[in-house]
């Protein structure tokens, strides 16, 4: 119990979960204390089962079947149980001692029973516990080698009917179904362990198919069936390693699974995990099957993935490139992927040609993958081909006309010593856009570009001539306030007016910030009395907005 403290609970859960756990103390019920562990039920959004191990080597360890707990987190429900135990820590040693004594008494009683008496107890439990009966029936069928019976029990375990309402298993019942389905994995592994791995392979494949059919009717929001599927895949691999099935047949089955013919979407099987089982002959069949499937459908996602996976594992860069080249994206992204593959293979000249090809073949330079443009400009710069970098940035800016494209053109042109000329041409394009009212959302890019160039006077003139977004006018006023306070004052007053008709703390914060700027403008103009009259009238009109009044008071307005 030394590790069970509020400080440790907060450390395990984090401040937020700890604080939320405080509100669940009354939701803890059914507490059972064992020797070193405590279990309970906590009623939250659903009813959750929690278990707290008290004597872990690093302090308390917990498990909860809530969604957050299933991700391995120490959740608020565990915090609530831990706090409940701390509240009764004086009596906990006595409860643990009693638990030990009960366990010893039970063990002593069972040890004293005869075989017939033990069987009677077990039969009684089987009658009362359907899940226990099914598990034991499955083990019995496996032990006597009754493959038909095992197959029947597996079908029963994966049948959703007992858990379904209106032919669908709701979230509240999904856990019970997943727990039952998990027994199939245990049964298949038991077959492998008892020397019947070949049967385990057959049943694992059947179980994967049945689980894939079942998941369509289950709310598996917690991913429990996904875990069952992954465990089935592991059990299948274990059985294959034990039984050493025909490598060519296994290769064809793995290819069919990967290509979607048998893919259940749950059992994420990687054919390369079976390389030691397949051997050279099986891998050859796997590669041949993958190539044939890819040639028949070069744009198929499953075909491309399998082909690329095998080629990459074999170090076959040309095949990896051929897979990508068979389905080139119109925005140049695939060309970039190929270029990076070639760079990794230290085939840099080919990589550069692929990147340039991506730009040439792009249907719309405005929609081209910007990472491709960045990659190519970086290559040009490192090769001291600065004019080429400027040309690409200019073309890209001409297509996109964004502030970022302008900034990138400026950086490339400055590096090449060509910015003044490039700037004139870029600004001409932006002026034409602004003149035709083809401005981007948030105001003309021309204004943002001039502001980014620190050319405040030109930006003000452009805004006056073509119009600007309120955001841009605010920035213009901020930059002009020191030298042109009268112009800035007009902007601030206009921006403040609509805010006086709105409510909300965020609005009040914006309004107060503008009022401070208005006060500064009046002070620079020597018209402080005029500001006092303005603020007095504003306070009178807005007096019902208590939060605004409080905020103005805090800033001396």
């Amino acid at each position: 119990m030394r590790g069970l403290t509020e400080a440790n609970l907060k450390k395990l859960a984090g401040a937020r979960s700890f604080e939320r756990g405080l509100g669940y103390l009354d939701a803890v019920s059914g507490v059972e204390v064992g020797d070193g562990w405590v279990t309970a039920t906590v009623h939250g959004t659903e009813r959750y089962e929690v278990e707290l191990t008290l004597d872990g080597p690093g302090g308390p360890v917990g498990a909860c079947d809530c969604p957050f707990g299933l991700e391995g987190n120490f959740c608020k429900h565990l915090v609530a149980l831990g706090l409940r135990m701390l509240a009764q820590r004086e009596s906990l040693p006595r409860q643990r001692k009693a638990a030990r004594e009960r366990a010893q008494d039970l063990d002593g009683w069972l040890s004293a029973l005869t075989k017939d008496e033990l069987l009677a107890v077990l039969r009684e439990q089987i009658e009362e516990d359907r899940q226990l009966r099914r598990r034991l029936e499955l083990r019995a069928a496996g032990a006597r080698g009754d493959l038909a019976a095992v197959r029947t029990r597996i079908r029963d375990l994966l049948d959703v009917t007992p858990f379904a309402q209106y032919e669908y298993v709701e979230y509240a019942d999904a856990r019970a179904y997943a727990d039952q389905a998990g027994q199939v994995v245990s049964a298949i592994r038991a077959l492998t362990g008892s020397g019947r791995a070949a049967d385990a392979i057959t049943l694992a494949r059947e179980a994967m198919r049945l689980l894939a059919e079942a998941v369509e009717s289950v709310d598996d929001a917690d991913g429990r069936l996904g875990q069952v599927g992954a465990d089935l895949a592991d059990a299948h691999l274990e059985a294959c390693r034990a039984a050493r099935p025909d490598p060519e047949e296994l290769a064809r089955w793995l290819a069919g699974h990967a290509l979607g013919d048998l893919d259940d979407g749950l059992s994420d099987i990687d054919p390369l995990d079976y390389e030691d089982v397949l051997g050279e002959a099986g891998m050859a069949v796997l590669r041949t099957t993958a190539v044939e499937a890819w040639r028949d459908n070069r744009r198929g996602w499953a075909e491309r993935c399998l082909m690329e996976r095998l080629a990459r594992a074999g170090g076959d860069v040309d095949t990896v490139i051929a897979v990508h080249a068979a389905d080139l994206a119109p925005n140049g992204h695939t060309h970039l992927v190929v270029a990076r593959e070639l760079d990794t293979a230290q085939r840099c000249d080919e990589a550069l040609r692929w990147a340039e090809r991506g730009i040439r073949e792009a249907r719309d330079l405005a929609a081209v993958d910007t990472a491709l443009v960045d990659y190519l400009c970086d290559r040009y710069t490192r090769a001291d081909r600065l004019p080429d970098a400027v040309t690409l940035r200019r073309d890209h800016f001409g297509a996109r006309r964004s502030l970022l494209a302008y900034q990138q053109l400026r950086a490339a042109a400055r590096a090449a010593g060509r910015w003044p000329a490039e700037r004139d041409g870029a600004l001409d394009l932006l002026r034409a856009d602004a003149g035709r009212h083809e401005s981007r959302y948030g105001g003309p890019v021309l204004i943002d570009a001039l502001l980014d160039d620190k050319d405040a006077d030109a930006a003000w003139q452009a805004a006056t001539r073509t119009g600007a977004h309120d955001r841009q006018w605010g920035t213009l006023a901020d930059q002009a306030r020191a030298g042109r306070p009268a112009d800035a004052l007009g902007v601030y007053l206009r921006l403040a007016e609509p805010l006086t008709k709105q409510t909300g703390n965020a609005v009040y914060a914006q309004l107060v910030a503008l009022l401070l700027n208005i006060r500064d403008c009046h002070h620079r103009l020597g018209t402080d009395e005029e500001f006092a009259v303005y603020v007095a009238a504003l306070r009178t009109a807005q007096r019902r907005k208590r939060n605004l009044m409080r905020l103005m008071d805090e800033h001396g307005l």
Side-chain angles (χ1 to χ4, degrees):
M1 280 291 293
R2 287 191 299 273
L4 185 61
T5 64
E6 282 197 20
N8 278 348
L9 289 174
K10 182 176 288 189
K11 182 178 179 181
L12 286 166
R16 176 170 178 156
S17 288
F18 181 83
E19 291 299 326
R20 296 180 70 184
L22 293 173
Y24 280 80
L25 290 174
D26 294 336
V28 180
S29 64
V31 177
E32 182 180 354
V33 178
D35 184 19
W37 52 265
V38 182
T39 62
T41 298
V42 180
H43 296 267
T45 307
E46 304 283 346
R47 186 179 68 181
Y48 300 116
E49 302 297 324
V50 295
E51 180 174 345
L52 196 60
T53 302
L54 302 175
D55 300 329
V61 177
C64 177
D65 61 358
C66 72
F68 191 59
L70 288 173
E71 294 176 357
N73 299 297
F74 199 92
C75 65
K76 60 190 177 185
H77 308 113
L78 286 165
V79 170
L81 179 56
L83 293 172
R84 183 75 169 268
M85 291 300 97
L86 284 174
Q88 58 187 63
R89 65 181 306 142
E90 297 299 327
S91 65
L92 199 55
R94 175 176 52 78
Q95 295 181 69
R96 292 183 63 171
K97 180 181 178 183
R100 282 195 299 272
E101 292 173 349
R102 289 195 301 273
Q104 291 167 0
D105 290 345
L106 177 59
D107 186 65
W109 176 70
L110 290 172
S111 299
L113 294 177
T114 65
K115 175 183 176 180
D116 289 340
E117 289 171 333
L118 277 172
L119 285 173
V121 170
L122 184 57
R123 290 187 181 109
E124 180 183 345
Q125 292 303 307
I126 289 173
E127 288 294 324
E128 296 177 357
D129 190 336
R130 182 177 63 178
Q131 298 295 340
L132 175 62
R133 174 174 56 79
R134 287 183 169 182
R135 287 197 298 271
L136 293 178
E137 285 175 348
L138 194 55
R139 292 179 65 176
R144 68 175 181 270
D146 188 346
L147 187 63
V150 175
R151 178 178 281 114
T152 298
R153 296 305 307 131
I154 286 177
R155 287 180 175 276
D156 289 342
L157 289 170
L158 294 175
D159 182 13
V160 300
T161 304
F163 300 89
Q165 296 183 17
Y166 307 108
E167 301 182 352
Y168 189 78
V169 180
E170 301 292 345
Y171 176 79
D173 300 310
R175 180 189 178 190
Y177 173 74
D179 288 343
Q180 177 174 298
Q183 296 173 32
V184 173
V185 180
S186 301
I188 291 171
R189 283 181 167 148
L191 282 174
T192 300
S194 63
R196 308 211 33 214
D199 290 337
I201 292 172
T202 300
L203 293 176
R205 294 181 183 181
E206 291 182 14
M208 290 178 197
R209 177 177 55 79
L210 291 171
L211 187 66
E213 295 172 359
V215 76
E216 299 296 326
S217 303
V218 180
D219 182 353
D220 189 37
D222 290 339
R224 292 177 182 274
L225 291 187
Q227 184 58 54
V228 174
D231 292 342
L232 271 176
D234 290 341
H236 180 263
L237 177 57
E238 292 167 8
C240 287
R241 284 176 172 158
R244 295 288 165 174
D246 176 72
E248 296 186 9
E249 184 281 330
L250 176 60
R252 284 189 285 271
W253 183 86
L254 289 170
H257 196 282
L259 293 171
D261 299 335
L262 306 171
D263 188 5
D264 52 41
L266 288 173
S267 306
D268 187 15
I269 291 179
D270 184 349
L272 288 176
D273 289 341
Y274 291 75
E275 189 169 3
D276 59 322
V277 182
L278 292 169
E280 292 185 7
M283 288 299 294
V285 171
L286 181 62
R287 291 191 185 94
T288 299
T289 306
V291 169
E292 291 174 352
W294 177 65
R295 285 175 176 168
D296 289 340
N297 185 14
R298 291 178 182 263
R299 293 190 175 185
W301 182 85
E303 289 80 1
R304 292 176 62 234
C305 284
L306 179 59
M307 192 67 191
E308 181 186 349
R309 184 84 176 85
L310 291 172
R312 193 181 299 282
D316 187 352
V317 177
D318 289 323
T319 299
V320 173
I321 292 170
V323 171
H324 289 298
D327 187 21
L328 295 172
N331 70 345
H333 173 73
T334 320
H335 298 78
L336 176 61
V337 172
V338 171
R340 286 172 172 165
E341 291 283 354
L342 289 165
D343 274 338
T344 301
Q346 297 184 340
R347 292 160 61 175
C348 300
D349 290 343
E350 292 177 73
L352 180 60
R353 287 195 291 273
W354 265 96
E356 291 175 328
R357 176 182 165 186
I359 296 296
R360 288 196 308 272
E361 295 180 355
R363 296 176 185 173
D364 180 5
L365 198 55
V368 75
D369 188 343
T370 55
L372 175 61
V373 178
D374 293 341
Y375 169 89
L376 198 48
C377 286
D378 179 65
R379 288 293 305 271
Y380 285 152
T381 300
R382 286 189 282 120
D384 201 27
R385 294 174 56 182
L386 299 180
D388 290 332
V390 173
T391 298
L392 179 54
R393 290 297 188 190
R394 182 198 308 129
D395 292 343
H396 192 226
F397 168 76
R400 293 182 67 90
R401 314 279 182 88
S402 67
L403 176 62
L404 176 60
Y406 180 84
Q407 292 167 331
Q408 291 170 329
L409 171 60
R410 182 177 62 200
R414 279 178 173 169
R418 297 170 52 177
W419 178 228
E422 291 294 337
R423 181 176 188 262
D424 289 342
L427 291 178
D428 284 343
L429 288 176
L430 294 179
R431 288 189 185 97
D433 287 346
R436 292 193 298 267
H437 303 289
E438 295 181 5
S439 303
R440 299 290 193 269
Y441 174 79
V445 176
L446 172 64
I447 309 300
D448 289 329
L450 291 169
L451 286 169
D452 200 62
D453 281 342
K454 310 302 180 188
D455 195 346
D457 289 340
W460 187 283
Q461 292 171 10
T464 302
R465 183 171 57 254
T466 66
H469 188 273
D470 283 349
R471 171 190 59 82
Q472 294 173 320
W473 275 118
T475 303
L476 287 166
D478 290 343
Q479 293 191 8
R481 191 167 69 227
R484 299 160 60 184
D487 290 336
L489 177 59
V491 172
Y492 291 139
L493 289 171
R494 182 181 63 78
L495 295 177
E497 179 59 27
L499 296 180
T500 63
K501 298 177 174 61
Q502 302 175 38
T503 59
N505 290 336
V507 171
Y508 300 154
Q510 294 178 52
L511 180 55
V512 167
L514 286 171
L515 290 174
L516 291 173
N517 290 337
I518 291 170
R519 181 174 64 182
D520 182 59
C521 289
H522 275 293
H523 182 70
R524 293 176 184 276
L525 292 168
T527 54
D528 297 300
E529 292 183 2
E530 185 177 333
F531 174 71
V533 172
Y534 172 79
V535 169
L538 181 67
R539 292 184 70 99
T540 299
Q542 306 289 317
R543 63 183 180 278
R544 295 181 181 276
K545 299 175 180 177
R546 289 178 293 178
N547 284 354
L548 174 59
M549 295 298 101
R550 177 183 54 78
L551 199 58
M552 291 177 67
D553 290 340
E554 290 176 0
H555 288 82
L557 293 169

